[in-house]
Amino acid sequence: MWWADLKAALGQRFNFEGIICSAVVLAKDRHLALPHVAVPDIRYIDWAELHRRGFKGVVFDKDNTLTKPYSLTLWEPIGSSLQQCKSVFGHDIGVFSNSAGLYEYDPDGSKARVLEGAIGIEVIRHRVKKPAGTAEEIEKHFGCASSLLIMVGDRPFTDIVFGNRNGFLTILTEPLSLAEEPFLVKQVRKLEAFVVNRCYKRGLKPTNHSLLPDAQECVKNPPPL
C-alpha cells in the first residue's frame, strides 16, 4: 500500500506521460489546448442552458477543479453550483481524475470511495492518464457519445487536450489554490498559459462544437457569496 501511495504522490506531481502526449499533440494541433469556455470556477457555468442545448452529462476533473490539490473534500464555495449541476443532470455526472480512480495510483479504489462519499459524485475508474487515452470508459459510464458530454477541468494540457481530442465540450476553470502545488507543476502552468495566450494571439480558435456554436451563452454571473 505504501508503494501505491508513493507512486500516486509522484505521479500526480510529475505527469510525464501527459507532458509527452501534450507535446506531440500541440506540435501539430495547438488549438486542442484551447477550451470552448474559460471561467474562474464552476459557479459561472449555466448548467440549465447546457442541458437545454442537448448535453447529457458532465465530467469533472478533481484537483483544483472541485477540490484543492490532493484533497478529498469539496472546495466549499462551489458547493451550491455543484448542487445546481446535480439538480439539472441528476446522476449523469462523474469525476475523471489523474489521481482518485486511476488504477495505477488508486488500485483498490479507496481514494475514489472517499471522494464519492464526500461530494456525492461517482468516480470513473480508468487505466490511462489524461490527456492520453480515449473516451471509451467515460462513454461506457454515461451510455452516450462523448460529443454529448462536458469536460470541466483546470489544465489546458491535460483536461482540455483530452476533452477536445475526444469530442467533448471543454470548459477550463482557474485553479482553486496554488499554495499546495509543487514547483514543477507551477512551472508547467506557466508554460500552459504561454502556449494558450500565444495561440489566441495567432488567431487560433477552439474546435467547433455543434451543440453550442457560441459557447459564451453558457456563462453567467454567479450570485454574491
Side-chain angles (χ1 to χ4, degrees), residues 6-71:
L6 178 60
K7 285 178 65 181
L10 293 173
Q12 289 172 51
R13 289 163 172 78
F14 307 106
N15 185 358
F16 293 114
E17 301 96 327
I19 293 172
I20 293 171
C21 180
S22 295
V24 172
V25 169
L26 297 177
K28 299 184 296 182
D29 301 302
R30 292 188 177 184
H31 66 285
L32 292 179
L34 303 181
H36 295 105
V37 184
V39 293
D41 59 57
I42 67 171
R43 290 173 292 183
Y44 290 77
I45 301 173
D46 189 337
W47 303 115
E49 177 64 18
L50 289 169
H51 189 265
R52 189 182 73 81
R53 292 298 182 111
F55 290 99
K56 303 299 184 183
V58 184
V59 183
F60 288 101
D61 176 48
K62 176 184 116 30
D63 292 310
N64 256 332
T65 301
L66 294 179
T67 74
K68 289 184 177 181
Y70 318 120
S71 170

Side-chain angles (χ1 to χ4, degrees), residues 32 59 96 128-138 151 155-168 170:
L32 292 179
V59 183
F96 194 75
V128 182
K129 295 175 73 172
K130 296 172 290 183
T134 69
E136 181 180 356
E137 289 153 316
I138 296 176
M151 172 66 69
R155 301 296 302 275
F157 283 6
T158 55
D159 307 309
I160 302 306
V161 168
F162 175 84
N164 284 334
R165 283 179 60 237
N166 289 288
F168 294 79
T170 53

Side-chain angles (χ1 to χ4, degrees), residues 88-99:
V88 171
F89 287 96
H91 294 293
D92 293 322
I93 304 173
V95 172
F96 194 75
S97 169
N98 279 350
S99 54

